[in-house]
């Protein structure tokens, strides 16, 4: 009261209002600035001089003259507080009934409010985000609170950095975002002395919705008195004496009609329309020192910005954050039968609904319907359908907004809905979320009054007004409503086109619209919409949608869209919400397969609904879908109903094991169960295996545990003893595990065990993996604990450790004790002589297949201790095969120069098992290691190669030999021919260039890419393969420069057969040199014909030549002529095979075929052609790459004597 008295003294000379001296008569009437008389008259002898202008009606003057300011006492102020508290203490919700009271404090939830004006990209991100993505966007705002300047109701008038308080604060938000709710909350908290008490002595609440459109003229005092217990005299006194301590809370500014005039003179005593008075307050033309808090939709933000006084503050309500939604659920469901966590979890599974709940009015709708649904379930009433689908919630939202937030709509609701749906349909098809005003249908004359739209000002040279729907999901909903306004024929045509051309992985923007179409086809949803939309023609679309749904999946399973289509169709069934159709669809599909596509919570809910409609589920496969514990619990009812089940879950803990067990029914054929990235204990593993062991049948099991110990590994072997499972794999989730994985699988009558330890960069184990195969019949006779323990003992030490040899002996002994062991693989850190010696010893003792390889740290230096990368020994069908080699990987070669690369990368040989113990195989490995350390230019290289050839020539009954070299040089070829000649029992010898080297540039050109020799039935066979792409050969750079880098060598392969006895009569190295020259050329090269003639002439000199094979790029006229010449020049020749293109991917041109058909051929020689033949009558294919065209057919032509036959090979 003292403060008010002080303000009274300060306001004694106030300029607003009329001051009448107590003894003055009317003749003494004077006008002050802003009073009723705008020019001061001269009063003399009761006559008024000059002109007198009255700016208001006389009745109001008389009324105002009667009002004298009166200072409110404490009682009046307290009564005012109590009156405001009474008015706002209880919240009035849309569905409130008589006698229902709900305390505001128990329902209010803080909103997320920012002060930043967001740009177009941020606004688009908000509009287009859904579910977790939308919540992530809100979390980003909360995380970057300084960037977005997050604020709260308490801080709306906090001073800026310069210490000044804003005179006007704008609280902007979309329809239903909680603006009016917040305004009333401010009034209640201020009246309860909890908010703004230090800033404002009086807050006057003005609701623009209450007087928008009225034409009555009243004063500001009368306007304020409408909602106050204070008298008009007290209000007038407050306005005159305490304006610096007044806050006008102007709610719903967007409801005000645009003013025709902005310069109307307003004073405290002026009688004017409410709009004029409010605008005078906003602009500061009335009570400039007062403060303003204005709530508005974005639609009116630009109009307000031009009108509002300074300094200003902009704030925007983003809605509820994720915590805000949950808090609202908590307050709403307090004291109700259903817990807020149950309700919140139910909503969270629906991505679209979860997003929409950030809008407070939708959150209220959802909670209300959920609450009613739970109560109806208690009374056995079927009202849960009101919140079963996303479509139904959006229908509820639309109807609520039309009922409570559409007072200013122009035209009928149906016409506005039709126009909105046209705008939404156009935007969705064009993937557009912002609309220029000219794109808004003319039926929506004032978009600012449409509660489903919001406005965005785009900053360019000038401000450009853009509109958008409140959220993209709302735009998609209205796009689906567009079809409800169509005639039957147009409706079927448009929907038919959309569905027929739908590609699930491409047309993502259309999928929500189709889902809403299914939702609108639901009978209950149609009933809700019957008063708003004419759905008479829309009823026919349901049959159309059902037919498409039943046929879509079988078609999609034949394409890449199968997996996505399956889940989308389940969502469509969920929105339609017809249990009979859901059962019919699932049964017609036969099985449900969902692989490698993450299933969101709404997906799981839709899947659960659809499959619960079926008494049993024939087959369900869910793999790679990120099914976590909560999703698994959601799917639990349907998992138990499966006749056949493949399930992959992840991120489980021991607390989730009981729920996993409940998902498994004993009548289920469990094809696969995978528990990935989990931290299960040994006890949990035991419980899972106990239950799985009771299943009807078990296929593949993969279970991730916290630590793989010997105990957990033995559980695995015990399970495999008693259950016919295909595979059981344990994986660790702990760096301290004894092993990273242990797997045991069943294949035919064998059991396969694999023990592995993942690579550890710090201490790489000497033994990292072991794989063995033995008969399943002996599984119970094996001491598996000993196997696991000895493996761990070896892998936990290095070869330099004193205990290494002892531990290796124990492992070797354990392996040798396995009955029927026939396959063993070891992966080691470094394949040293120690490991090689053990490998050969094990081989002699067990007779099993044996494989050992070097685990190489490809990111680090080459391991100098390793002799080689791999050593494989195989005994099969009485023969012994040994393979030793280096891995010529791309990374390995990058770390080596051509001068340091090993000239010999692999040796593979085969001989009878009877000779296994006669050769010193360790000596061979030593020689190979020496050769690796030389290049061909080194002085000792030839000596080491001679030692190798000498060893090989002494291997009794050597059958096969293959050498993989860096380059097939003359020296390697000469050694090969010599060995072939000196070993009559050698059936095959091959020398090939390492494939990895062929893929690298700068590799030295050899005589050929591969050289193969064979002895069979007294015949010697030679096969040469060259490069497929011409390089110019040895003819020099000038010839090579004229060739296209993509031109194919005209001759890329050559083979021949002659008696072995005549082998020594040919200079084979010269023959290879000629081949090398021809292989580097194309037909267009000047030297080609000459070089080719020289090569083929050498064939004429091969005594007893029986067969010749050539691989050419294309059968041309010239190659046909050469073939005929060869046939006639070699009387002993029995067969010629000509192949067009590498792997027969070349053309047989008609010009070449015609020459062969029309020429005389040797009747004793059969000519066979393989390639592609063009069957067009005109303009036939001739290019090297044309063979793959549709007009070509793969054929085999055979000329025998004067007959010709053609066989199609497609």
């Amino acid at each position: 009261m003292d403060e008010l008295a002080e303000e009274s003294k300060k306001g004694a000379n106030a300029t607003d209002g009329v001051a009448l001296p107590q003894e003055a008569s009317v003749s003494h009437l004077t006008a002050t600035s802003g009073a009723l008389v705008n020019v001061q008259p001269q009063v003399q002898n009761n006559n008024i001089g000059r002109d007198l202008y009255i700016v208001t009606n006389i009745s109001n003057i008389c009324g105002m003259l009667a009002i004298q300011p009166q200072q409110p006492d404490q009682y009046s102020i307290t009564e005012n507080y109590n009156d405001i508290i009474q008015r706002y203490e209880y919240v009035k919700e849309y569905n409130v009934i008589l006698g229902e009271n709900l305390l505001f404090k128990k329902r209010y939830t803080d909103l997320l409010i920012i002060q930043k004006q967001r740009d177009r990209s941020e606004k688009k991100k908000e509009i287009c985000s859904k579910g977790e993505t939308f919540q992530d966007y809100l979390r980003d705002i909360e995380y970057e609170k300084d960037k977005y300047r997050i604020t709260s109701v308490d801080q709306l008038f906090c001073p800026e950095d310069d210490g000044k308080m804003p005179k006007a604060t704008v609280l902007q938000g979309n329809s239903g975002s909680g603006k009016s709710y917040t305004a009333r909350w401010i009034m209640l908290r201020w009246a309860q002395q909890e908010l703004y008490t230090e800033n404002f002595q009086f807050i006057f609440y003005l609701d623009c919705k209450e007087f928008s459109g009225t034409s009555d003229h009243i004063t500001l005092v009368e306007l304020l008195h409408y909602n106050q217990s204070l008298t008009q005299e007290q209000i007038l006194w407050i306005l005159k004496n305490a304006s610096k301590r007044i806050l006008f809370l102007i709610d719903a500014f967007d409801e005000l009609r645009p003013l025709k005039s902005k310069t109307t003179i307003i004073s405290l005593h002026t009688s004017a329309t409410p709009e004029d008075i409010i605008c005078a307050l906003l602009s500061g033309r009335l009570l400039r020192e007062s403060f303003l808090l204005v709530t508005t939709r974005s639609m009116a933000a630009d109009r307000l910005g031009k009108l509002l006084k300074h300094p200003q503050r902009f704030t925007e309500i983003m809605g509820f954050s994720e915590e805000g939604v949950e808090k609202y659920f908590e307050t709403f469901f307090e004291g109700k039968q259903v817990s807020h966590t149950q309700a919140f979890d139910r909503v969270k599974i629906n991505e679209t609904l979860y997003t929409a709940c950030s809008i407070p009015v939708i959150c209220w709708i959802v909670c209300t319907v959920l609450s009613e649904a739970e109560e109806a379930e208690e009374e056995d009433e079927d009202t849960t359908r009101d919140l079963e689908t996303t479509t139904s919630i959006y229908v509820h939202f639309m109807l609520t907004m039309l009922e409570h937030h559409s007072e200013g709509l122009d035209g009928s609701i149906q016409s506005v809905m039709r126009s909105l749906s046209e705008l939404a349909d156009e935007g969705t098809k064009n993937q557009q979320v912002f609309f220029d005003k000219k794109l808004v249908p003319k039926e929506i004359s004032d978009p600012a009054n449409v509660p489903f739209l919001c406005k965005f000002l785009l900053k360019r040279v000038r401000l450009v007004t853009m509109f958008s729907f409140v959220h993209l999901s709302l735009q998609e909903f209205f796009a689906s409503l567009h079809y409800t306004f169509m005639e039957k024929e147009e409706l079927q045509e448009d929907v038919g086109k959309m569905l027929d051309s739908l590609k699930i992985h491409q047309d993502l923007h259309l999928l929500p619209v189709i889902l809403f179409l299914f939702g609108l086809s639901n009978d209950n949803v149609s009933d809700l919409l019957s008063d708003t939309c004419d759905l008479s023609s829309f009823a026919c679309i349901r049959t159309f949608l059902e037919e498409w749904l039943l046929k879509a999946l079988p078609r999609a399973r034949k394409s890449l869209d199968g997996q996505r289509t399956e889940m989308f169709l389940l969502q469509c069934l969920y929105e339609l919400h017809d249990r009979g159709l859901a059962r019919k669809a699932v049964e017609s599909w036969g099985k449900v397969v969902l692989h490698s596509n993450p299933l969101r919570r709404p997906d799981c809910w839709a899947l659960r609904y659809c499959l619960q409609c079926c008494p049993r589920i024939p087959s369900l496969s869910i793999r790679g879908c990120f099914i976590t514990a909560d999703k698994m619990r959601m799917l639990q009812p349907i998992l138990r109903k499966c006749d056949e089940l493949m399930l992959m879950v992840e991120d489980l803990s021991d607390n989730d094991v009981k729920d996993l067990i409940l998902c498994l029914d004993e009548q289920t054929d469990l094809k696969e169960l995978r528990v990935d990235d989990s931290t299960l204990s040994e006890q949990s593993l035991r419980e899972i295996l106990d239950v799985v062991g009771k299943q009807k049948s078990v296929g593949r099991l993969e279970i991730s545990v916290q630590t793989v110990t010997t105990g957990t590994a033995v559980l695995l072997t015990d399970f495999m003893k008693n259950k016919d499972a295909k595979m059981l794999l344990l994986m660790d989730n702990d760096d301290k595990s004894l092993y990273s994985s242990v797997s045991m699988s069943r294949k035919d009558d064998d059991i396969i065990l694999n023990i592995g330890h993942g690579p550890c960069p710090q201490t790489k184990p000497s033994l990292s993996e072991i794989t063995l195969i033995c008969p399943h019949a002996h599984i119970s006779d094996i001491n598996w604990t000993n196997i696991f323990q000895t493996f761990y003992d070896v892998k936990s030490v290095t070869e330099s450790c004193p205990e290494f040899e002892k531990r290796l002996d124990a492992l070797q002994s354990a392996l040798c004790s396995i009955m029927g062991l026939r396959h063993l693989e070891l992966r080691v850190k470094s394949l040293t002589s120690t490991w090689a010696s053990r490998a050969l010893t094990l081989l002699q003792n067990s007779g099993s297949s044996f494989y050992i390889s070097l685990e190489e740290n490809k990111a680090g230096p080459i391991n100098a201790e390793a002799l080689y990368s791999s050593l494989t020994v195989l005994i099969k069908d009485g023969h012994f095969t040994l393979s030793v080699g280096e891995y010529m990987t791309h990374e390995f070669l990058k770390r080596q120069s051509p001068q340091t690369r090993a000239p010999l990368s692999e040796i593979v040989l085969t001989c009878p098992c009877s000779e296994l113990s006669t050769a010193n195989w360790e000596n061979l490995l030593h020689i190979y290691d020496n050769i690796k350390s030389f290049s061909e230019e080194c002085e000792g290289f030839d000596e080491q190669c001679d030692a190798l050839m000498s060893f090989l020539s002494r291997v009794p009954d050597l059958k096969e030999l293959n050498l993989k070299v860096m380059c097939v040089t003359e020296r390697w070829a000469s050694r090969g021919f010599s060995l072939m000649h000196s070993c009559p029992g050698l059936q095959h010898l091959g020398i090939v260039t390492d494939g990895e080297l062929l893929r690298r540039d700068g590799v030295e050109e050899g005589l050929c890419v591969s050289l193969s020799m064979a002895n069979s039935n007294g015949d010697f066979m030679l096969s040469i393969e060259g490069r497929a792409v011409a390089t110019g050969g040895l003819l020099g750079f000038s010839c090579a420069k004229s060739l296209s880098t993509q031109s194919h060598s005209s001759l890329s392969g050559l083979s021949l057969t002659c008696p072995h006895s005549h082998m020594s009569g040919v200079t084979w190295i010269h023959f290879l040199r000629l081949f090398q020259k021809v292989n580097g050329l194309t037909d267009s090269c000047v030297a080609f014909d000459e070089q080719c003639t020289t090569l083929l002439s050498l064939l004429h000199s091969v005594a007893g030549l029986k067969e010749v094979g050539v691989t050419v790029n294309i059968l041309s006229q010239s190659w046909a002529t050469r073939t005929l010449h060869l046939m006639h020049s070699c009387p002993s020749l029995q067969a010629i095979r000509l192949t067009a293109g590498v792997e027969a991917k070349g053309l047989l041109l008609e010009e070449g075929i015609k020459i062969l058909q029309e020429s005389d051929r040797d009747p004793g020689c059969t000519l066979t052609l393989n390639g592609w033949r063009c069957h067009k009558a005109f303009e036939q294919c001739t290019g090297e790459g044309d063979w793959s065209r549709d007009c070509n057919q793969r054929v085999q032509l055979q000329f025998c004597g004067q007959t010709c036959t053609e066989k199609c090979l497609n």
Side-chain angles (χ1 to χ4, degrees), residues 661-674:
I661 291 172
L662 290 174
C663 293
L664 305 176
D665 183 73
E666 293 183 6
Q667 300 303 313
T668 298
D669 179 6
L670 189 60
K671 293 291 186 183
E672 181 177 355
L673 174 63
R674 292 180 58 180

Side-chain angles (χ1 to χ4, degrees), residues 752-941:
I752 304 171
L753 173 70
N754 175 273
I755 312 172
H757 192 285
C760 179
Q762 290 77 22
T763 57
K764 296 183 70 174
S766 56
L767 175 64
S768 59
E769 186 177 351
I770 183 170
T771 301
L772 59 86
I773 302 176
C774 65
H776 185 270
H778 297 313
I779 189 172
S780 299
D781 303 323
I782 300 171
N783 186 346
W784 295 108
T785 302
N786 190 33
I787 300 291
F788 293 129
Q789 190 61 49
T790 53
F791 168 80
Y792 173 71
D793 290 342
V794 173
K795 72 100 180 173
S796 59
V797 297
T798 62
E799 287 193 47
S800 60
C801 179
E803 292 289 315
F804 179 74
E805 291 288 344
K806 181 180 178 180
R807 295 187 180 192
L808 194 56
D809 288 340
L811 175 62
Q812 182 174 318
S813 175
L815 294 173
C816 290
S817 69
I818 299 175
M819 296 181 62
L821 179 66
R822 65 178 188 81
H823 185 99
L824 180 64
E825 297 180 14
L826 301 175
R827 186 173 296 275
V828 298
K829 174 184 177 182
S830 178
L831 211 168
T832 60
S833 57
T834 301
W835 282 109
S837 176
R838 297 286 181 165
L840 296 173
T841 302
L842 278 170
L843 176 70
Q844 292 172 350
N845 291 339
S846 65
S848 66
S849 171
F850 190 85
Y851 177 80
I852 192 167
S853 67
L854 168 67
E855 179 188 320
E856 196 172 32
N857 185 3
K858 297 174 182 175
I862 300 170
N863 195 319
E865 298 178 1
L867 300 179
Y868 20 78
S869 299
S870 67
L871 172 66
T872 303
V873 185
L874 173 66
I875 293 178
K876 186 176 182 181
D877 299 331
H879 284 84
F880 160 76
T881 301
L882 180 143
S883 173
V884 59
E886 285 281 356
Y887 289 145
M888 291 294 182
T889 62
H890 177 69
E891 290 297 323
F892 180 84
L893 291 173
K894 277 173 61 178
R895 288 179 278 150
Q896 287 190 319
S897 66
Q899 291 75 28
T900 60
R901 285 182 197 140
L904 177 63
S905 59
E906 186 178 50
I907 302 174
V908 182
L909 60 85
T910 301
C911 64
C913 287
S914 57
E915 309 300 334
L916 177 59
S917 59
T918 60
N920 186 350
W921 299 112
E922 291 188 31
N923 187 33
L924 171 64
L925 300 178
H926 179 70
I927 294 172
Y928 171 69
D929 184 47
N930 288 338
I931 292 177
K932 283 197 308 111
S933 61
F934 288 93
S935 65
E936 289 203 39
E937 290 75 22
C938 290
E939 185 176 342
F941 176 74

Side-chain angles (χ1 to χ4, degrees), residues 330-368:
E330 184 179 341
T331 58
F332 189 97
F333 287 97
E334 184 179 352
K336 297 185 183 291
Q337 293 176 346
V338 61
S339 72
H340 80 275
T341 53
Q342 289 175 316
F344 182 68
D345 288 343
R346 185 172 178 183
V347 169
K348 200 173 180 180
I349 62 173
N350 188 318
E351 186 177 72
T352 305
L353 199 56
Y354 185 38
T355 303
C357 275
S358 67
I359 302 174
V361 68
I362 293 188
C363 199
W364 171 80
I365 293 171
V366 170
C367 290
T368 300

Side-chain angles (χ1 to χ4, degrees), residues 431-457:
Q431 301 184 54
Q432 179 182 2
V433 294
F434 293 115
F435 306 94
D436 190 270
K437 188 171 183 179
K438 62 185 178 183
L439 295 178
V440 179
K442 61 183 180 180
E443 288 79 5
I444 306 177
S445 59
D446 187 5
N449 288 327
V450 179
F452 309 106
L453 298 177
C454 58
K455 187 158 66 173
F456 173 75
L457 294 176

Side-chain angles (χ1 to χ4, degrees), residues 463-499:
L463 291 177
V464 178
T465 301
M466 305 289 286
F467 293 92
S468 74
F469 284 84
V470 172
H471 193 269
L472 178 60
S473 58
L474 190 63
Q475 178 178 322
E476 293 160 346
F477 170 71
F478 272 97
S480 67
L481 281 180
H482 174 62
Y483 295 92
T484 67
F485 294 100
M486 292 182 177
E487 296 297 329
K488 180 177 179 180
E489 294 75 13
E490 182 188 8
L491 173 63
Q492 289 182 329
E493 181 181 354
D494 278 25
V495 174
K497 286 180 180 179
M498 178 169 61
L499 295 178

Side-chain angles (χ1 to χ4, degrees), residues 573-584:
L573 284 170
Y574 180 75
E575 283 300 311
L576 186 57
H577 233 66
D578 184 321
R579 297 182 65 84
L581 179 62
R583 176 175 178 176
K584 181 180 178 181

